[in-house]
Amino acid sequence: MASSDGLPRRIVKETQRLIAEPVAGISATPYQDNLRYFAVAIEGPADSPYERGVFQLELFLPADYPMAPPKVRFLTKIYHPNVDKLGRICLDILKDKWSPALQIRTVLLSIQALLSAPNPDDPLDNTVAEVWKKNEAEAIRRAREFTESFAMKGGTTAASATASMPKKSC
Amino acid sequence: MKKTPSGEVVIVPRNFKLLEELEKSEKGHGDMAISFGLVDTGDTFLTEWNGGILGPPGTYHDSRFYQLRIHCPEKYPAVPPEVRFISKINMTAVDSKTGVVNEKKIPAMRNWSRNMGIEQVLQSIRAEMCSDQNRRLRQPAEGSTF
């Protein structure tokens, strides 16, 4: 496995801990052929419009990690003011607020928290944020609808997203 | 592909590489004679792209704007993208019936490496328009499509 040669100890440790002591409602599994690349699933938090949904994400630790933040995005379609149509996430710790003291675990917890507390004042998707600000009930209804269509078992995209995700990354 | 001081070869996965390519293209710092973007801005797997090439000056392609379609397969960037012209063009590397670009005749596709991207392929196609076989080829009416 060429890509694992010389994998930094820090990444090895983080991975081991993610598997040994998983966070409730979150799973992160490295791909066999690229140990810097993780398949992630986050359960929608209770009392949020994402409740009962399971959201697939992908996470990559760039060469300069942990000096640079991980790259992470949603693969499951989600209606959320801080997530754009390509699943990119607007979260300060993934950008200027990143610190090497943070970890994969803290990043995923922050994303889970973002699902509980959408922040329409710092939007990535303006159309979604506008609905959220003008008519929160309608926004929540749409977010639920997306969750049901894409993030629940029997829903189309969550399952097919996993199926069409490249098993090998290269 | 990047090598860390410890000798680890870091491989950027397909989707993150394509996101980087998209973001670079959107910022528009690159070559102004070529352009590319997603066909559907919500295409999670970043598979289908529109491309554009401005014909190079000093050739029969001068000032023409060619539209292309680019398909990044699941194995990308282990393999190059598949490219076809939408705008009609008369060119040795392009199938005259379908507009499909023959990857054996485009240097960036023939000598593909995972450090290259859509940008390099479009630049290489544009450079081919200047080759001796192509620069003085009679061209179909502007605006016609395959």
Side-chain angles (χ1 to χ4, degrees):
Chain A
M1 233 189 308
S3 63
S4 72
D5 290 343
L7 190 74
R9 230 179 108 76
R10 148 110 188 214
I11 295 177
V12 176
K13 289 252 159 202
E14 276 199 58
T15 307
Q16 284 169 348
R17 205 176 144 225
L18 276 169
I19 292 164
E21 305 159 43
V23 190
I26 298 177
S27 76
T29 319
Y31 283 86
Q32 289 286 303
D33 62 342
N34 188 348
L35 297 174
R36 286 176 175 266
Y37 185 35
F38 293 73
V40 175
I42 297 182
E43 286 172 21
D47 302 319
S48 80
Y50 312 103
E51 189 174 3
R52 292 187 293 124
V54 177
F55 297 85
Q56 311 289 335
L57 295 90
E58 58 181 351
L59 180 145
F60 172 63
L61 304 172
D64 36 6
Y65 181 82
M67 296 318 290
K71 293 176 188 290
V72 50
R73 70 163 186 145
F74 279 87
L75 291 170
T76 305
K77 295 276 177 212
I78 180 167
Y79 192 83
H80 190 291
N82 311 107
V83 181
D84 75 3
K85 279 163 84 182
L86 285 173
R88 292 177 288 192
I89 305 161
C90 179
L91 188 63
D92 54 2
I93 60 159
L94 291 175
K95 297 183 178 106
D96 52 324
K97 293 279 162 36
W98 170 253
S99 142
L102 298 169
Q103 301 184 8
I104 300 171
R105 177 182 296 267
T106 36
V107 164
L108 297 180
L109 279 167
S110 300
I111 293 170
Q112 199 183 36
L114 193 64
L115 296 185
S116 293
N119 179 9
D121 293 318
D122 184 21
L124 198 54
D125 192 311
N126 280 310
T127 40
V128 175
E130 224 154 273
V131 178
W132 219 283
K133 283 201 274 194
K134 283 190 180 141
N135 187 348
E136 197 177 334
E138 168 66 11
I140 287 170
R141 192 191 65 74
R142 287 192 201 176
R144 262 206 198 100
E145 205 174 275
F146 265 62
T147 305
E148 276 167 27
S149 316
F150 303 118
M152 287 189 191
K153 276 210 175 104
T156 43
T157 309
S160 53
T162 324
S164 59
M165 242 173 82
K167 303 259 173 339
K168 289 197 167 184
S169 59
C170 54
Chain B
M1 221 172 335
K2 241 183 176 172
K3 217 167 180 170
T4 63
S6 70
E8 180 204 2
V9 178
V10 177
I11 293 167
V12 181
R14 175 190 184 278
N15 300 345
F16 287 105
K17 173 172 164 55
L18 284 169
L19 279 174
E20 275 173 24
E21 291 191 44
L22 178 69
E23 280 156 21
K24 191 174 171 225
S25 166
E26 281 170 348
K27 280 185 191 142
H29 293 325
D31 186 343
M32 298 302 281
I34 58 146
S35 59
F36 56 96
L38 285 174
V39 172
D40 166 9
T41 54
D43 180 359
T44 306
F45 292 99
L46 308 111
T47 304
E48 300 297 329
W49 298 68
N50 287 318
I53 298 178
L54 194 61
T59 69
Y60 281 14
H61 307 281
D62 189 4
S63 307
R64 285 181 176 233
F65 180 74
Y66 293 105
Q67 279 182 283
L68 302 93
R69 187 59 83 93
I70 301 141
H71 173 84
C72 294
E74 205 175 290
K75 283 191 171 156
Y76 182 88
V79 298
E82 294 153 20
V83 184
R84 66 185 169 85
F85 274 82
I86 305 255
S87 312
K88 232 177 181 156
I89 187 170
N90 186 12
M91 200 176 156
T92 52
V94 177
D95 187 292
S96 61
K97 289 198 179 64
T98 61
V100 171
V101 175
N102 182 342
E103 62 170 55
K104 292 189 186 73
K105 292 187 176 163
I106 300 296
M109 296 169 93
R110 193 173 56 227
N111 309 313
W112 177 256
S113 88
R114 61 179 305 137
N115 297 324
M116 297 198 274
I118 297 170
E119 184 182 15
Q120 285 73 31
V121 167
L122 293 179
Q123 282 170 337
S124 190
I125 293 171
R126 185 170 188 265
E128 200 54 33
M129 292 175 183
C130 303
S131 72
D132 288 342
Q133 306 103 289
N134 285 307
R135 55 188 297 128
R136 299 264 175 255
L137 274 186
R138 190 177 286 276
Q139 293 303 316
E142 219 175 329
S144 51
T145 54
F146 278 106

